[in-house]
PDB file of all heavy atoms in Angstrom:
ATOM      1  N   LEU A 209      19.443 -98.223 115.126  1.00 97.00           N
ATOM      2  CA  LEU A 209      19.079 -99.488 114.375  1.00 97.00           C
ATOM      3  C   LEU A 209      20.190 -99.892 113.444  1.00 97.00           C
ATOM      4  O   LEU A 209      20.492-101.068 113.322  1.00 97.00           O
ATOM      5  CB  LEU A 209      17.785 -99.373 113.653  1.00 97.00           C
ATOM      6  CG  LEU A 209      16.475 -99.226 114.488  1.00 97.00           C
ATOM      7  CD1 LEU A 209      15.331 -98.619 113.739  1.00 97.00           C
ATOM      8  CD2 LEU A 209      16.193-100.575 115.121  1.00 97.00           C
ATOM      9  N   ALA A 210      20.800 -98.963 112.800  1.00 97.00           N
ATOM     10  CA  ALA A 210      21.955 -99.204 111.974  1.00 97.00           C
ATOM     11  C   ALA A 210      23.122 -99.917 112.671  1.00 97.00           C
ATOM     12  O   ALA A 210      23.673-100.837 112.280  1.00 97.00           O
ATOM     13  CB  ALA A 210      22.469 -98.024 111.162  1.00 97.00           C
ATOM     14  N   ALA A 211      23.364 -99.340 113.907  1.00 98.00           N
ATOM     15  CA  ALA A 211      24.399 -99.953 114.740  1.00 98.00           C
ATOM     16  C   ALA A 211      24.064-101.371 115.235  1.00 98.00           C
ATOM     17  O   ALA A 211      24.896-102.304 115.165  1.00 98.00           O
ATOM     18  CB  ALA A 211      24.643 -99.010 115.910  1.00 98.00           C
ATOM     19  N   CYS A 212      22.656-101.541 115.638  1.00 98.00           N
ATOM     20  CA  CYS A 212      22.303-102.904 115.998  1.00 98.00           C
ATOM     21  C   CYS A 212      22.335-103.886 114.922  1.00 98.00           C
ATOM     22  O   CYS A 212      22.746-104.968 115.092  1.00 98.00           O
ATOM     23  CB  CYS A 212      20.809-102.751 116.550  1.00 98.00           C
ATOM     24  SG  CYS A 212      20.758-101.893 118.110  1.00 98.00           S
ATOM     25  N   SER A 213      21.911-103.509 113.691  1.00 98.00           N
ATOM     26  CA  SER A 213      21.932-104.323 112.562  1.00 98.00           C
ATOM     27  C   SER A 213      23.431-104.729 112.178  1.00 98.00           C
ATOM     28  O   SER A 213      23.676-105.863 111.994  1.00 98.00           O
ATOM     29  CB  SER A 213      21.345-103.602 111.285  1.00 98.00           C
ATOM     30  OG  SER A 213      21.337-104.392 110.187  1.00 98.00           O
ATOM     31  N   GLY A 214      24.287-103.760 112.198  1.00 98.00           N
ATOM     32  CA  GLY A 214      25.679-104.171 111.935  1.00 98.00           C
ATOM     33  C   GLY A 214      26.280-105.017 112.920  1.00 98.00           C
ATOM     34  O   GLY A 214      27.011-106.003 112.640  1.00 98.00           O
ATOM     35  N   ALA A 215      26.012-104.722 114.248  1.00 98.00           N
ATOM     36  CA  ALA A 215      26.554-105.584 115.304  1.00 98.00           C
ATOM     37  C   ALA A 215      26.026-107.002 115.176  1.00 98.00           C
ATOM     38  O   ALA A 215      26.763-107.929 115.425  1.00 98.00           O
ATOM     39  CB  ALA A 215      26.265-104.907 116.670  1.00 98.00           C
ATOM     40  N   LEU A 216      24.767-107.078 114.869  1.00 98.00           N
ATOM     41  CA  LEU A 216      24.211-108.533 114.795  1.00 98.00           C
ATOM     42  C   LEU A 216      24.721-109.234 113.640  1.00 98.00           C
ATOM     43  O   LEU A 216      25.087-110.383 113.804  1.00 98.00           O
ATOM     44  CB  LEU A 216      22.746-108.340 114.747  1.00 98.00           C
ATOM     45  CG  LEU A 216      21.944-109.728 114.657  1.00 98.00           C
ATOM     46  CD1 LEU A 216      22.299-110.637 115.916  1.00 98.00           C
ATOM     47  CD2 LEU A 216      20.426-109.450 114.663  1.00 98.00           C
ATOM     48  N   PHE A 217      24.809-108.547 112.511  1.00 98.00           N
ATOM     49  CA  PHE A 217      25.433-109.184 111.382  1.00 98.00           C
ATOM     50  C   PHE A 217      26.970-109.615 111.675  1.00 98.00           C
ATOM     51  O   PHE A 217      27.301-110.691 111.295  1.00 98.00           O
ATOM     52  CB  PHE A 217      25.463-108.263 110.095  1.00 98.00           C
ATOM     53  CG  PHE A 217      26.291-108.810 108.951  1.00 98.00           C
ATOM     54  CD1 PHE A 217      25.873-109.930 108.308  1.00 98.00           C
ATOM     55  CD2 PHE A 217      27.585-108.356 108.763  1.00 98.00           C
ATOM     56  CE1 PHE A 217      26.606-110.495 107.263  1.00 98.00           C
ATOM     57  CE2 PHE A 217      28.347-108.921 107.757  1.00 98.00           C
ATOM     58  CZ  PHE A 217      27.897-110.021 107.047  1.00 98.00           C
ATOM     59  N   ALA A 218      27.713-108.675 112.277  1.00 98.00           N
ATOM     60  CA  ALA A 218      29.109-109.033 112.547  1.00 98.00           C
ATOM     61  C   ALA A 218      29.213-110.265 113.456  1.00 98.00           C
ATOM     62  O   ALA A 218      30.054-111.030 113.268  1.00 98.00           O
ATOM     63  CB  ALA A 218      29.737-107.816 113.186  1.00 98.00           C
ATOM     64  N   THR A 219      28.400-110.285 114.495  1.00 98.00           N
ATOM     65  CA  THR A 219      28.365-111.389 115.446  1.00 98.00           C
ATOM     66  C   THR A 219      27.929-112.681 114.782  1.00 98.00           C
ATOM     67  O   THR A 219      28.601-113.623 114.887  1.00 98.00           O
ATOM     68  CB  THR A 219      27.525-111.107 116.599  1.00 98.00           C
ATOM     69  OG1 THR A 219      27.940-109.786 117.208  1.00 98.00           O
ATOM     70  CG2 THR A 219      27.491-112.181 117.667  1.00 98.00           C
ATOM     71  N   ARG A 220      26.882-112.641 114.050  1.00 98.00           N
ATOM     72  CA  ARG A 220      26.378-113.857 113.313  1.00 98.00           C
ATOM     73  C   ARG A 220      27.358-114.205 112.298  1.00 98.00           C
ATOM     74  O   ARG A 220      27.704-115.470 112.191  1.00 98.00           O
ATOM     75  CB  ARG A 220      25.064-113.595 112.602  1.00 98.00           C
ATOM     76  CG  ARG A 220      23.885-113.469 113.710  1.00 98.00           C
ATOM     77  CD  ARG A 220      22.591-113.225 112.933  1.00 98.00           C
ATOM     78  NE  ARG A 220      22.101-114.379 112.138  1.00 98.00           N
ATOM     79  CZ  ARG A 220      21.546-114.285 110.982  1.00 98.00           C
ATOM     80  NH1 ARG A 220      21.166-113.073 110.474  1.00 98.00           N
ATOM     81  NH2 ARG A 220      21.228-115.310 110.347  1.00 98.00           N
ATOM     82  N   GLY A 221      27.922-113.431 111.596  1.00 98.00           N
ATOM     83  CA  GLY A 221      28.949-113.751 110.532  1.00 98.00           C
ATOM     84  C   GLY A 221      30.172-114.395 111.157  1.00 98.00           C
ATOM     85  O   GLY A 221      30.711-115.432 110.621  1.00 98.00           O
ATOM     86  N   ALA A 222      30.686-113.854 112.218  1.00 98.00           N
ATOM     87  CA  ALA A 222      31.852-114.403 112.893  1.00 98.00           C
ATOM     88  C   ALA A 222      31.461-115.750 113.387  1.00 98.00           C
ATOM     89  O   ALA A 222      32.321-116.839 113.283  1.00 98.00           O
ATOM     90  CB  ALA A 222      32.277-113.525 114.052  1.00 98.00           C
ATOM     91  N   ALA A 223      30.369-116.033 113.970  1.00 98.00           N
ATOM     92  CA  ALA A 223      29.981-117.376 114.418  1.00 98.00           C
ATOM     93  C   ALA A 223      29.775-118.326 113.252  1.00 98.00           C
ATOM     94  O   ALA A 223      30.024-119.560 113.459  1.00 98.00           O
ATOM     95  CB  ALA A 223      28.618-117.198 115.273  1.00 98.00           C
ATOM     96  N   VAL A 224      29.341-117.972 112.193  1.00 97.00           N
ATOM     97  CA  VAL A 224      29.157-118.713 110.981  1.00 97.00           C
ATOM     98  C   VAL A 224      30.516-119.183 110.560  1.00 97.00           C
ATOM     99  O   VAL A 224      30.790-120.482 110.222  1.00 97.00           O
ATOM    100  CB  VAL A 224      28.449-118.051 109.855  1.00 97.00           C
ATOM    101  CG1 VAL A 224      28.732-118.792 108.452  1.00 97.00           C
ATOM    102  CG2 VAL A 224      26.887-117.956 110.061  1.00 97.00           C
ATOM    103  N   LEU A 225      31.544-118.312 110.541  1.00 97.00           N
ATOM    104  CA  LEU A 225      32.893-118.585 110.148  1.00 97.00           C
ATOM    105  C   LEU A 225      33.506-119.623 111.162  1.00 97.00           C
ATOM    106  O   LEU A 225      34.419-120.381 110.822  1.00 97.00           O
ATOM    107  CB  LEU A 225      33.782-117.373 110.028  1.00 97.00           C
ATOM    108  CG  LEU A 225      33.453-116.459 108.808  1.00 97.00           C
ATOM    109  CD1 LEU A 225      34.317-115.272 108.828  1.00 97.00           C
ATOM    110  CD2 LEU A 225      33.533-117.286 107.514  1.00 97.00           C
TER     111      LEU A 225
END
Side-chain angles (χ1 to χ4, degrees):
L209 289 163
C212 290
S213 177
L216 182 56
F217 170 75
T219 303
R220 288 180 67 213
V224 163
L225 292 177

